[in-house]
Amino acid sequence: MPEKSVDVVIVGAGFSGLYQLYKLREMGLTTRVFEAGSGVGGTWYWNRYPGARCDVESLNYSYSFSPELEQEWTWTEKYSPQPEILSYAEHVADRFDLKKDITFDTRVESAVYDDDTHRWTVTTDSGEVVSTQFFVMATGCLSVSKAPEIPGAEKFGGAIYHTGHWPHGGVDFTGQRIAVIGTGSSGIQSIPIMAAQASEATIFQRTPNFSMPAGNRKLTDDEVRARKENYREYREAAKWSGFGVPVPEATKSALEVSEEERNGVYQTGWDQGNLVAILTSYIDTLAVKEANETAAEFVRAKIRDKVADPELAEALSPRSFPFGTKRPCLDTGYYETFNSEHVRLVDIHKTPLVEITAKGVRTSEKEYEVDAIVFATGFDAMTGALTRVDIRGKGGVSLKEKWGEGPRSYLGISVAGFPNMFTITGPSSPSVLTNMMVAIEQHVDWVSDCIGWLRENEVTELAATDEAEDEWVRHVEEVGNTTLYPTADSWYMGSNVPGKPRVFMAYIGGMGVYREKCDDVAAKGYDGFALTPEPTRA
Ligand code: NA7
C-alpha cells in the first residue's frame, strides 16, 4: 500500500519540472517532484563539460511566466554558459521556494496505473511509494546519455568522461594526450577548450557536422534594457513563431534568387551567429534538396576558408545529410582548432573504432595511446528517459512495449492506454525543433489548465483515445515527410542508438500551429480524450 498520497507526481526538476511544480502549487494541488540529481536544472545540471552553452540566445532562453523574474534576472552573455543557466534554474527554484517539494538524489523506478482507482502508484529507488492521481514525466529530451558501442572501456588505464555527466569539479587536461569520440554539439563546443589544454588531441569523427561561429560576447546594458522593456511583445511573437524564436517569415525559394543575393542572406545569419536565421532564410531550405544544398555549400566554403589543409577541410565537411536535418552547431573556434599541429582528426567512417584498450583507442587501422578519453557521443534522445522508467498503464501494458516500434502519442503530451499521465515535450511535439523554453511553457500551461478543468468538471480520468492518437501519429509523419528531416541519420530519427526504430520523433508543423491545435483540443472539452466522471458519492 502506498504510504503517501498526492494530487500530482512530477519526475524531473529541470526547467519543465520546476515550472510544472510552480503552476500546480499555485493551483493549490499537492505535488511531489523526484529528481535523480542533487540539484535542479536537469540537462544544465549534468552537462558541465567545458564550453557548454545554449545555442538559443540567452535573452530568448528563459521563462516568460513571471514578469518580475524577467526584470530581476540579467543575462550577461549572448549565449550564456552552462554555469549561468544553472544559476538561473537555482534562482528560480529559490525565488519561488520550490525545493521544499523536490526530493533530490532519487530516481523513479516505476509507475503503475490502477484501472479501478484511476490512480498511479509511483515507486522510487529509495523504496518510497506514492499514490497520485496525475503523473507528469518532465524528464527532458536529452537526458539519457549513451556511450559508444565499443568494448573495452573497463580495461582503460586512464580516465573516461562523458560530456553528458561531467565531473562537478571540472577536469584539467593540461599536458595530457586526449581522445574525443563524437563531433555533435557537445564535442564541437568542448573540443577547442580541451584541445587547447592537451599536449595531443585526437578527435574521432564518425559524421562531420555543420557548425557556425556563435559570435558569443558580453551583452550590452542597452541590449538587456531594450529586451526588458519589450519582453511582453517579444514573448508573444516567440509563442506563435515556427521555432519558438521570432524571425521574419521567409517568402522566397532559395532557388529563385541569385547566388549573390542568397550568399548575402546566409552571410548575414552567419555574422549574427544565428542558426535559426539561416535555417529559415528561404521557404524551401528544409524541404527541397537543391535549395538546401545552397546553404550546405555556403557552410562548406566557410570550412574550406578556415581549415588550412584542403584534405582535412573536406574530411570536416558534411556531405551525407542535408543542412539542418541533424542539429547544426554553434562553435567558438572549432574548425580553427584543427590547424594546430597537436590536433588530429581520425575519420572513423573510414577506419572504424574497434575497441578501447588499456592504453587508448584502437581503430581498424591502429592503436592511439592516450591519457584520457572523452565520450561526446550524445543521448538516447526523446524516448530514452521515458522508457527507462517501468511505466505500466491500463491492463498492465508497459510503455516500453507499446513503443517497441517507435513512440506513439496524442499531441506528444498524452499516450493512449496511459490515462492521467502527461509527457512534457514528449515525442511528436515540437520540443527539440524549437526553443525548448517556449515548448516547455506551452506544455506545462496546457497540462495545468487540463488538470484544473478535470477537477472543476469532476472528471477522474482523462485518456487519449486510440483514434486520436492514430490520427496525430499519421499527421506528424505526414508533415515530417514534407521536409528533408527523415532523410538524415540523426538522433531526431533515433538512428544514433543501434536497434532504435527509425521514426521522426518531433513535430515540424511549427510552434504556433501546434499551440493552436492544442488550444483547440482544450476548447472543445478535450477533444480526442475519453473522460470518466468521478463516481457519485453515496
Ligand atoms: P549528438 O549530437 O548526438 O552527437 C554525438 C556524436 O557522437 C555524433 O558525432 C555521433 O556520430 C557520435 N557518436 C555516437 N555514437 C558513436 C559511436 N558509437 N561511435 C562513434 N561516434 C559516435 O550529441 P551531443 O551531445 O553532441 O548533442 C546533443 C544535442 O544537445 C545537440 O544536438 C543540441 O541540441 C544540444 P553520428 O553523427 O551519430 O555519426
Side-chain angles (χ1 to χ4, degrees):
M1 265 299 278
E3 296 153 20
K4 292 164 196 150
S5 180
V6 291
D7 295 322
V8 190
V9 163
I10 300 169
V11 188
F15 283 123
S16 346
L18 288 178
Y19 181 41
Q20 185 69 80
L21 169 60
Y22 168 82
K23 284 288 283 191
L24 296 172
R25 196 196 277 166
E26 290 282 289
M27 290 162 62
L29 276 82
T30 54
T31 307
R32 272 296 287 283
V33 181
F34 291 105
E35 165 58 53
S38 307
V40 299
T43 201
W44 300 108
Y45 173 86
W46 298 104
N47 285 265
R48 298 171 187 238
Y49 60 83
R53 278 173 207 288
C54 187
D55 53 13
V56 173
E57 291 188 24
S58 321
L59 292 174
N60 307 344
Y61 191 79
S62 55
Y63 287 123
S64 73
F65 71 84
S66 163
E68 296 78 23
L69 172 66
E70 278 173 345
Q71 293 305 320
E72 73 197 18
W73 183 266
T74 298
W75 295 103
T76 64
E77 293 183 41
K78 181 182 172 196
Y79 294 107
S80 283
Q82 172 271 334
E84 188 168 1
I85 303 175
L86 185 58
S87 306
Y88 175 72
E90 278 161 2
H91 171 75
V92 171
D94 292 338
R95 189 191 191 285
F96 298 104
D97 195 18
L98 298 176
K99 286 184 186 161
K100 67 178 182 210
D101 290 326
I102 306 173
T103 307
F104 292 104
D105 301 305
T106 305
R107 211 171 257 291
V108 166
E109 288 192 327
S110 70
V112 179
Y113 190 68
D114 185 319
D115 298 5
D116 298 324
T117 61
H118 305 298
R119 292 183 72 83
W120 288 90
T121 300
V122 175
T123 306
T124 73
D125 62 357
S126 63
E128 194 172 350
V129 182
V130 180
S131 164
T132 179
Q133 184 182 4
F134 299 103
F135 179 57
V136 180
M137 288 294 279
T139 38
C141 298
L142 296 160
S143 43
V144 177
S145 57
K146 67 170 278 286
E149 295 76 17
I150 46 166
E154 70 292 347
K155 287 189 230 152
F156 183 58
I160 297 186
Y161 305 97
H162 194 298
T163 48
H165 37 87
W166 200 257
H168 287 200
V171 184
D172 182 3
F173 292 109
T174 304
Q176 295 192 26
R177 297 164 303 166
I178 63 166
V180 184
I181 302 177
T183 52
S185 201
S186 305
I188 282 178
Q189 288 186 338
S190 58
I191 285 166
I193 298 172
M194 299 189 297
Q197 296 171 351
S199 61
E200 216 178 278
T202 309
I203 316 303
F204 295 87
Q205 171 191 272
R206 186 162 72 180
T207 315
N209 236 313
F210 290 101
S211 186
M212 55 191 279
N216 190 45
R217 57 175 172 76
K218 293 274 178 220
L219 288 169
T220 65
D221 292 348
D222 285 349
E223 283 172 304
V224 174
R225 192 175 323 110
R227 180 55 52 82
K228 284 191 176 181
E229 276 166 12
N230 87 344
Y231 254 133
R232 296 282 58 75
E233 198 185 314
Y234 180 84
R235 301 292 198 191
E236 196 54 25
K239 275 166 82 168
W240 297 98
S241 66
F243 288 93
V245 177
V247 282
E249 223 168 274
T251 52
K252 290 182 185 168
S253 158
L255 303 173
E256 74 181 67
V257 299
S258 68
E259 189 179 349
E260 195 187 359
E261 177 179 337
R262 215 165 39 216
N263 284 345
V265 169
Y266 295 149
Q267 186 66 46
T268 304
W270 183 268
D271 292 340
Q272 293 167 348
N274 187 339
L275 265 182
V276 181
I278 295 200
L279 283 171
T280 57
S281 299
Y282 295 103
I283 50 174
D284 45 6
T285 309
L286 288 166
V288 176
K289 209 161 180 328
E290 297 70 30
N292 185 282
E293 182 55 22
T294 63
E297 191 43 35
F298 175 85
V299 181
R300 289 189 210 112
K302 294 289 185 194
I303 300 172
R304 290 192 288 272
D305 282 350
K306 285 168 185 281
V307 179
D309 172 355
E311 240 178 77
L312 186 54
E314 182 52 29
L316 286 162
S317 297
R319 301 232 173 235
S320 60
F321 60 94
F323 173 71
T325 57
K326 284 170 87 128
R327 177 76 173 227
C329 307
L330 287 182
D331 72 88
T332 305
Y334 176 66
Y335 294 113
E336 294 82 346
T337 298
F338 290 90
N339 291 330
S340 295
E341 286 276 302
H342 74 296
V343 179
R344 71 182 150 202
L345 184 76
V346 177
D347 182 347
I348 54 173
H349 197 63
K350 287 191 183 140
T351 56
L353 293 176
V354 174
E355 61 172 339
I356 292 177
T357 64
K359 291 185 178 163
V361 178
R362 187 194 304 281
T363 67
S364 59
E365 188 189 37
K366 63 182 269 202
E367 183 178 15
Y368 295 85
E369 289 189 13
V370 294
D371 303 306
I373 302 176
V374 175
F375 294 158
T377 38
F379 301 89
D380 181 356
M382 324 280 288
T383 53
L386 294 166
T387 54
R388 89 161 162 191
V389 177
D390 185 12
I391 301 176
R392 298 195 175 250
K394 266 186 179 288
V397 171
S398 108
L399 183 69
K400 194 171 177 178
E401 276 164 32
K402 164 156 180 163
W403 284 2
E405 287 173 24
R408 301 182 65 77
S409 76
Y410 181 36
L411 302 171
I413 210 166
S414 174
V415 182
F418 296 78
N420 294 358
M421 177 180 96
F422 300 100
T423 52
I424 305 300
T425 65
S428 305
S429 71
S431 68
V432 291
L433 295 178
T434 70
N435 176 353
M436 282 301 288
M437 281 297 206
V438 175
I440 286 169
E441 286 197 326
Q442 187 263 336
H443 262 194
V444 169
D445 288 342
W446 193 92
V447 168
S448 308
D449 290 349
C450 176
I451 291 177
W453 186 90
L454 296 173
R455 292 252 151 158
E456 224 174 275
N457 291 277
E458 300 185 339
V459 175
T460 307
E461 184 187 88
L462 167 102
T465 65
D466 288 328
E467 296 73 34
E469 183 174 273
D470 289 348
E471 180 54 26
W472 183 250
V473 170
R474 196 197 55 72
H475 175 65
V476 171
E477 193 182 345
E478 184 179 81
V479 179
N481 284 340
T482 64
T483 73
L484 296 166
Y485 282 98
T487 66
D489 284 337
S490 63
W491 57 254
Y492 299 136
M493 297 296 298
S495 323
N496 64 329
V497 176
K500 197 165 169 174
R502 199 181 156 79
V503 174
F504 182 46
M505 293 186 287
Y507 180 56
I508 185 66
M511 192 64 229
V513 171
Y514 175 77
R515 181 184 299 276
E516 222 167 280
K517 167 74 185 168
C518 292
D519 288 354
D520 187 52
V521 164
K524 288 182 175 148
Y526 293 91
D527 192 26
F529 289 94
L531 307 173
T532 307
E534 275 179 19
T536 41
R537 287 179 202 92

